[in-house]
DNA sequence: GGCCGCCTACCCCGAAAGAGGTGTTAGCGC
DNA sequence: GCGCTAACACCTCTTTCGGGGTAGGCGGCC
């Protein structure tokens, strides 16, 4: 099917930062056996472009507007289970990386990584290998993932807490009682080793369980300002 | 390489992400009147490289390891008050941008900006203009900066709150009474328009008033478990 | 001298949070 | 089927938060 003209690897880049895309484009241009076939700026676009372009390898950021990277990976893999996706993230202890790998990503790289490693990884992934993770990252994942693993429900509760909602309001918004929200909060704090809800949120942020952008922040209806 | 001997703008790029540096490098390479003369990955290196390379324009990220971008700007301007520095940030409502401008930065740009704007800004700044800010940003700054401006003491309190300390503990650690801490928290929440301490912390984080790295996180004495 | 903002500190008090429990359901191992 | 665990749900209890005030000392600014 995607029999490339002369064995060149067709790469789709998904990232919301134009400059970073340029960086990746420049890197790909310097490699004779790679070519950039498309760029997407959010998850939805990534899914669509994958369908039309059928690239050999996808480089995807996890932090995306409109549709989360993990979600995009899931959908792309649903389209084509052989899709080869390399995940790029900024933070070291990012738990989403693990979710991305579960969702079918072939490898996981940090953005502040050397070009060589990225290039090597692209070739390795194209060759069919999975997870040629350069050690350091594997460890950093392992070190963090052991004990967090918040349930989806807990993450939801915590996201709302980060937005400054009270347990009662969270319960109202999620359709459960205030007491239940409290129970979730207890479990969250125990898992994260946090002292209170505020600490739980900052801990989750620093571990990549939550992202500032995904918080229901700046919701106009409840602006305190008044 | 640097084969543009005359009338070319010498640019120093300061960012901790190699890929983003590559993106900037590619962008500069596409402009005949610009050349990349050096790259720094942290604030200290930026100050040193500025001293030795004397670039015409510096492109600097605010989020840097080892030395903060604002600090680096201050030191560079101390070396040479004519230094032309363009600040790059990720977030829209970043208060550090204002501090950077106060510290002597000539302009302020968002990373997810079009290349054209960046190139235009570089030329404008090189020509001696200051703050050719593309409207949107100026507004986003103005909209946010009016009312935050937390006092140093308040920022301290908020940092401890982000670490999960109770008002009593914060007071103990800062050498003031719990009542005073509460007074500060009240003022903080009023200024930030936050609903509770958790919201205050996330709001401050998203505006760049606080940084996750600077939180007294992971302090061993009071660790819950793990 | 006034005015204002910062830092400090205190009062009251209702409404949350967080620390104890209990129970239900679903899934997994055997 | 029988334990076991984990997610989810609900109920008390005490502590803490956060909103409403008030107020003195201190510094800058008009």
């Amino acid at each position: 099917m995607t029999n490339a003209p002369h064995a060149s690897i067709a790469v789709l880049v998904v990232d919301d930062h134009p400059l970073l895309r340029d960086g990746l484009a420049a890197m790909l241009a310097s490699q004779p056996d790679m070519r950039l076939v498309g760029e997407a700026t959010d998850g939805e676009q990534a899914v669509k472009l994958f369908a039309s372009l059928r690239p050999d390898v996808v480089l995807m950021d996890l932090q995306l507007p409109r549709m989360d990277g993990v979600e995009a990976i899931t959908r792309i893999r649903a389209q084509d289970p052989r899709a080869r996706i390399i995940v790029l993230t900024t933070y070291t202890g990012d738990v989403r990386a693990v979710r991305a790998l579960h969702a079918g990503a072939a490898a996981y790289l940090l953005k502040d990584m050397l070009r060589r490693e990225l290039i090597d990884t692209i070739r390795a992934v194209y060759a069919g290998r999975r997870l040629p993770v350069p050690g350091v990252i594997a460890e950093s994942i392992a070190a963090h993932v052991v004990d967090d693993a918040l349930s989806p429900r807990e993450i939801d509760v915590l996201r709302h807490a980060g937005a400054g909602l009270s347990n009662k309001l969270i319960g109202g918004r999620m359709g459960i009682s205030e007491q239940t929200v409290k129970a979730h909060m207890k479990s969250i704090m125990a898992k994260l080793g946090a002292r209170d809800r505020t600490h739980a949120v900052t801990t989750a942020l620093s571990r990549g369980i939550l992202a500032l952008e995904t918080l229901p922040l700046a919701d106009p209806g409840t602006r305190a300002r008044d």
Side-chain angles (χ1 to χ4, degrees), chain A:
Chain A
M1 358 129 281
T2 31
N3 256 340
H6 34 273
S8 116
I9 309 174
V11 179
L12 169 65
V13 168
V14 185
D15 200 299
D16 54 334
H17 294 291
L19 284 173
L20 215 137
R21 288 202 306 275
D22 285 355
L24 291 169
M27 187 198 73
L28 292 171
S30 73
Q31 302 299 312
D33 59 338
M34 301 179 186
R35 69 180 197 282
L36 178 65
V37 295
E39 305 184 14
T41 57
D42 61 65
E44 288 183 16
Q45 206 183 343
V47 176
K48 285 178 194 161
L49 278 182
F50 180 86
S52 59
L53 298 173
R54 293 285 158 175
D56 298 313
V57 174
V58 181
L59 295 181
M60 164 136 34
D61 189 10
L62 283 184
Q63 196 117 5
L64 292 174
R66 295 158 62 88
M67 186 195 295
D68 182 48
V70 179
E71 176 68 20
I73 292 173
T74 307
R75 302 212 184 172
I76 289 176
R77 295 278 296 188
Q79 274 183 40
D80 182 357
R82 296 160 310 176
R84 294 176 172 129
I85 305 171
I86 299 175
V87 161
L88 299 174
T89 44
T90 313
Y91 307 108
T92 314
D94 202 328
V95 202
R96 292 172 304 175
V98 191
R99 282 191 235 121
L101 292 174
H102 280 301
Y108 163 68
L109 288 176
L110 292 177
K111 279 187 181 175
D112 52 355
M113 192 130 259
L114 298 175
R115 298 88 163 158
R116 179 127 309 282
E117 299 188 76
L118 223 173
I119 290 169
D120 292 345
T121 305
I122 292 175
R123 288 214 186 86
V125 167
Y126 176 65
R129 260 180 286 160
R130 249 205 111 187
L131 243 181
V133 179
V136 203
I137 302 163
E139 290 170 25
S140 79
I141 295 182
H144 282 294
V145 170
V146 276
D147 51 15
D148 27 52
L150 298 187
S151 73
R153 203 77 178 167
E154 288 168 343
I155 293 179
D156 239 33
V157 168
L158 192 54
R159 244 214 335 271
H160 285 99
L165 298 184
S166 68
N167 289 335
K168 188 184 289 183
L169 282 175
I170 296 172
R173 197 174 279 200
M174 292 181 60
I176 55 183
S177 91
E178 180 190 353
Q179 276 67 33
T180 307
V181 176
K182 285 182 162 186
H184 282 306
M185 284 300 310
K186 249 191 298 191
S187 165
I188 291 167
M189 291 186 289
K191 284 182 180 176
L192 296 181
R195 282 180 283 266
D196 58 30
R197 56 167 62 230
T198 307
H199 194 199
V201 169
T202 55
T203 304
L205 285 172
S206 70
R207 293 199 193 168
I209 301 172
L210 289 185
L212 273 178
E213 298 75 25
T214 70
L215 291 183
L217 276 174
D219 50 339
T222 10
R223 192 80 170 86
R225 168 56 92 255
D226 41 35

